Amino acid sequence: MSAGSAADRTAPPVTPADLPRLRRRTSGVLIASQMLSGIGVPISIALAPVLATEISGTESLSGFASTAAVIGTALVSLPLAALMTARGRRPGLVLAYVIGAAGAALVVLAASVKSFPLLMLGMAAFGAASSANLQARFAASDLAEPDHRARAISVVVWASTLGAVLGPNLSSPASRSFAGTSIPQTAGPFVWAGAVFLLTAALIAVLLRPDPLLTARALAPAGEQTRAGRSLGAGFAAVKASPRARLALVTIAVSHTTMVSIMVMTPVDLGHHGAGLQLIGLVISGHIAGMFAFSPVMGWLADRLGRLSVIGLAAGLLSVAALLAGTAGPSHSQSAAGLFLLGLGWSAGMVSGSALLTDSVPQPARAAVQGLSDLTMNTAAGVGGAVAGLIMSQAGYGWLNAVGAALLLPMAALTLFTSRRHPVKASAPAP
């Protein structure tokens, strides 16, 4: 018997009458896990460039630590999707957080022995925790009613706000907590992050029961319960067959790439115009608030107005953000407004794109397609972040924003084309 069928047999029996309670329980566990794990990623990413500089002895390699984490997030996406497809959400999320904790331990070891290659390996493994955070939003959609799916996704995205805001502020006390020990202070946050990831893994292992993906699969119509449709190959085929799924993939990848490319170079531009670290921190905090704090609003709009309408809103917000940021010059308030709208546009694109992707493919293929989405998104953003530095050094911050805005044109055109040629069909009733 295959692993997938064995996993299906172990899924606890659930009736449609149980679904409202189960939806609330699943959402609560995912929100708690996001709040907890969301502290671990930013608390360490904030110091990764500093640690890379200390170990390598040169600032020219400082960006490689964060890049390694992004690469790790992308590389683990498909294997994680394959595991979830076969065994369910719970084993996949638990394994990803355990790998992230192991990566944190490798980073601490690299700092102790001053090994740059070991640091890169540790940061790549550390990125698995980010992949788990991303996949949690799709776990929230497994049991959601079709007309509440975007809101279910957005609430889990919103739960990341606590970690995104609190995490960087904990870096300093986390570092000081290891003063006088054999662990370098700059590696201290990674010890905390590893512990947080293990705690998150335990939370999910114990409380995320029954597994939302296996439960949704068991409640699906008989024609959607075949194992043949659950492979990664079936996921690629599902995207190829659905114009709306392709639009969703483009939306997620372009929104994320535009946001990352502009955001990573904004502190540099602010520094060129005399901004201090405190002001830069405030601008980035406003950007993070735009990314996460208003995601429930985007989910509500995507459910009420439609996914494509909110994708259009994302394109508009990101375009205005690029215009404001790219022409701000010495106006720090205009830069702050641009970065806030950049986060807001990312939220609109991420929530609406994720909901549209889930809507547009058959239930058996969803986990595989969602893994493909995260692979595409992180790969594109990794390339975008690297190219952003080149554009910044050769042409300037204004041109970087112009290129970011240009990336939105194909997304906007594809949205208009899809809305006219492939109008939305009525949602199927919830199980």
Side-chain angles (χ1 to χ4, degrees):
M1 179 176 292
S2 70
S5 59
D8 289 346
R9 281 199 315 155
T10 61
V14 174
T15 66
D18 298 325
L19 280 177
R21 174 187 57 80
L22 184 55
R23 287 183 183 119
R24 291 191 297 271
R25 174 184 171 86
T26 300
S27 179
V29 173
L30 291 172
I31 288 171
S33 70
Q34 286 293 94
M35 287 182 172
L36 188 59
S37 65
I39 296 174
V41 174
I43 197 178
S44 302
I45 293 298
L47 283 180
V50 178
L51 191 55
T53 301
E54 285 186 1
I55 293 175
S56 66
T58 173
E59 288 188 357
S60 62
L61 298 179
S62 62
F64 279 65
S66 299
T67 301
V70 172
I71 292 173
T73 302
L75 290 178
V76 81
S77 298
L78 285 186
L80 184 61
L83 177 59
M84 289 183 178
T85 297
R87 308 284 297 186
R89 298 289 186 190
R90 188 174 62 253
L93 292 175
V94 168
L95 178 61
Y97 284 122
V98 169
I99 293 173
L106 285 176
V107 170
V108 175
L109 178 60
S112 300
V113 301
K114 303 297 182 183
S115 171
F116 191 75
L118 190 59
L119 174 66
M120 295 298 99
L121 179 61
M123 287 304 301
F126 188 85
S130 295
S131 188
N133 285 356
L134 291 170
Q135 282 292 312
R137 77 189 193 277
F138 289 123
S141 73
D142 288 332
L143 296 174
E145 297 175 274
D147 57 353
H148 288 80
R149 190 169 283 148
R151 272 171 278 189
I153 291 171
S154 69
V155 169
V156 173
V157 174
W158 167 84
S160 302
T161 306
L162 175 66
V165 173
L166 187 61
N169 294 309
L170 292 177
S171 295
S172 180
S175 297
R176 292 196 302 269
S177 66
F178 290 92
T181 70
S182 60
I183 296 175
Q185 289 193 46
T186 45
F190 288 89
V191 179
W192 284 41
V196 164
F197 293 156
L198 290 177
L199 187 58
T200 305
L203 174 72
I204 291 173
V206 173
L207 297 182
L208 195 62
R209 297 173 183 271
D211 190 284
L213 179 60
L214 299 184
T215 302
R217 187 177 292 166
L219 293 173
E224 294 186 0
Q225 295 189 15
T226 59
R227 290 190 299 274
R230 300 175 191 166
S231 66
L232 291 178
F236 281 98
V239 172
K240 184 178 180 180
S242 172
R244 296 174 73 84
R246 294 197 295 272
L247 170 61
L249 274 180
V250 169
T251 297
I252 293 170
V254 170
S255 298
H256 193 59
T257 302
T258 300
M259 185 276 291
V260 168
S261 301
I262 295 174
M263 182 268 294
V264 296
M265 289 296 113
T266 297
V268 178
D269 181 69
L270 288 170
H272 289 167
H273 290 96
L277 291 178
Q278 185 175 5
L279 179 57
I280 291 173
L282 288 174
V283 171
I284 297 302
S285 294
H287 168 68
I288 292 172
M291 288 177 65
F292 298 114
F294 296 91
S295 57
V297 176
M298 298 305 173
W300 181 82
L301 289 173
D303 284 334
R304 292 295 299 271
L305 304 180
R307 319 308 193 210
L308 271 61
S309 296
V310 180
I311 290 174
L313 175 63
L317 287 171
L318 290 168
S319 298
V320 173
L323 176 64
L324 288 175
T327 60
S331 175
H332 297 149
S333 60
Q334 184 173 327
S335 293
L339 264 289
F340 174 77
L341 290 179
L342 187 72
L344 206 60
W346 176 90
S347 180
M350 183 64 63
V351 170
S352 58
S354 298
L356 180 63
L357 186 68
T358 305
D359 293 341
S360 304
V361 297
Q363 197 280 334
R366 282 177 184 166
V369 170
Q370 290 157 355
L372 174 63
S373 164
D374 285 350
L375 171 66
T376 304
M377 175 182 76
N378 285 291
T379 301
V383 173
V387 173
L390 296 175
I391 297 175
M392 180 79 172
S393 62
Q394 298 298 319
Y397 186 66
W399 277 104
L400 172 62
N401 280 269
V403 171
L407 291 177
L408 300 167
L409 295 176
M411 184 180 98
L414 186 58
T415 302
L416 291 173
F417 176 81
T418 303
S419 65
R420 295 184 178 183
R421 294 291 298 273
H422 305 281
V424 66
K425 298 178 181 179
S427 297

